[in-house]
Amino acid sequence: MKAKIIGTGYELPAFEADNQYLSTLVETSDEWIRERTGIGKRRLAREETTTSLAAGAAKKALARAGVRAEEIDLLIVATITSDTNTPSTACRVQAELGAVHAVAFDINAACSGFLYAIHIADAFIRSGIYRHALLIGAETLSKLVDWTDRGTCVLFGDGAGAAVLTASEEGGVIAQSVGSNGEKWEVLSCLGRPVQNPVCQSQAEPGYLKMNGQEVFKFAIRTVPLCIEQALLKAELPAEEITWFLLHQANKRIIQSVAKRLKQPEEKFPMNIETCANTSAASLPILLAQMEEQGRLKAKDKVVLSGFGAGLTWGACVLEW
Ligand code: UT7
């Protein structure tokens, strides 16, 4: 049995902040942001929370899959912006959906989170332990961003995407290549609450998202093509046979560079970065759900999903739609 995606959904906050709006907050311009990243606007949460966005995306994915919440065995939310340190966002989504039979937990793998969730779900489904999995990538990164730092605040947006996976004899996940390198954790990080207990009163401030953009850029253009090639090798498929390469939406130039290194036409690399910006773990499932909504994914299409991010973490997954 293979793990096959049978329904997707996404949810975005109502408020849309274009580059012009950001130029009223920090010294930047529409021209700079578009040229360097491909981003034109992003959604920012007002009333929405990571939980509400996740639940909204999940309901649409369940409806599209034709699966009832009670049928879900495994519910994973990939997020670095849970509304509560505990319980997990997954447990709160479980309650909202009534997914009473699911084991529910969050994972933290930053922008690679959705791929890591597939990695886990594939193992459980392949081994016969679980039949239906609901995977969600959900973020309100706007609460971790330093809104005075133009180097990072222009890059991120809020949103959620979800996918229902089921055990299937046909199609589904063919091969994966997933990795981490904790030695590079400082390249992209956000510190948690400092220790303040009866025996230690740390003076450290709660952290904002900090990034060495050029280091992350170099890591991405080197690692993403490599891990895609490794996954394709395991799948015994040449890049030419892949219909779509869906990449984490962090920077248009990164995606173009990966296309070039894989010697594949850019048209095979759909993007939504212009309207959604970088939504971390939500980026891939939002793009996937938009592709399904637009009817661009056809049965038997070979699709590559690939992401990278803080950790450092990365991954690629080859699947048949
Ligand atoms: O999910 C994974 C997360 N992150 C990524 O994938 C990010 C990967 N890195 C990147 O996408 C790019 O490195 C950035 C888009 C973040 C930055 O682009 P860059 O071409 O590497 O620019 P830079 O950091 O080298 O900055 C160039 C100039 C600097 O000014 P000086 O020193 O040349 O005078 C910056 O201060 O651009 C300036 N700058 C800005 N100017 C206007 C930096 N941010 C901005 C801004 N608006 N928002």
Side-chain angles (χ1 to χ4, degrees), residues 87-223:
S88 64
T89 300
C91 281
R92 296 188 59 193
V93 171
Q94 175 187 34
E96 169 93 20
L97 300 177
V100 290
H101 297 119
V103 56
F105 56 89
D106 288 0
I107 56 166
N108 176 337
C111 308
S112 312
F114 190 71
L115 276 162
Y116 275 44
I118 292 179
H119 199 48
I120 297 167
D122 180 57
F124 275 118
I125 290 174
R126 211 177 265 270
S127 63
I129 295 174
Y130 296 133
R131 182 168 158 72
H132 291 306
L134 172 59
L135 310 183
I136 307 169
E139 304 281 15
T140 45
L141 273 179
S142 57
K143 66 190 178 200
L144 296 188
V145 163
D146 176 355
W147 287 97
T148 64
D149 174 17
R150 68 176 182 173
T152 52
C153 77
V154 302
L155 303 174
F156 300 100
D158 300 332
V164 176
L165 280 72
T166 194
S168 168
E169 277 172 13
E170 287 183 6
V173 174
I174 302 169
Q176 298 169 80
S177 173
V178 182
S180 328
N181 177 9
E183 281 178 11
K184 293 276 183 188
W185 73 270
E186 279 176 300
V187 169
L188 177 48
S189 68
C190 181
L191 300 182
R193 279 163 60 156
V195 175
Q196 290 196 329
N197 63 27
V199 293
C200 173
Q201 292 288 308
S202 164
Q203 296 305 306
E205 296 286 323
Y208 289 111
L209 202 74
K210 274 199 196 149
M211 177 174 72
N212 180 333
Q214 291 190 0
E215 279 295 311
V216 178
F217 195 98
K218 279 189 266 175
F219 148 71
I221 61 169
R222 211 173 33 235
T223 309

Side-chain angles (χ1 to χ4, degrees), residues 27-29 32-33 36-37 111 150-151 154-156 188 211 213-214 216-217 248 250-251 253-254 278 308-309:
E27 201 180 325
T28 190
S29 65
W32 191 95
I33 301 171
R36 303 279 178 136
T37 69
C111 308
R150 68 176 182 173
V154 302
L155 303 174
F156 300 100
L188 177 48
M211 177 174 72
Q214 291 190 0
V216 178
F217 195 98
H248 169 48
N251 188 316
R253 290 186 292 136
I254 292 176
N278 180 347
F308 61 92

Side-chain angles (χ1 to χ4, degrees), residues 38-98:
I39 297 166
K41 46 195 167 186
R42 74 285 292 142
R43 301 293 183 97
L44 300 179
R46 272 176 158 167
E47 287 89 30
E48 300 88 352
T49 62
T50 297
T51 308
S52 72
L53 292 167
K59 284 176 192 168
K60 291 173 193 164
L62 286 168
R64 202 177 269 272
V67 169
R68 287 178 293 113
E70 310 87 76
E71 293 179 84
I72 297 296
D73 307 303
L74 175 67
L75 195 171
I76 305 177
V77 176
T79 186
I80 56 168
T81 51
S82 186
D83 302 316
T84 41
N85 283 333
T86 192
S88 64
T89 300
C91 281
R92 296 188 59 193
V93 171
Q94 175 187 34
E96 169 93 20
L97 300 177

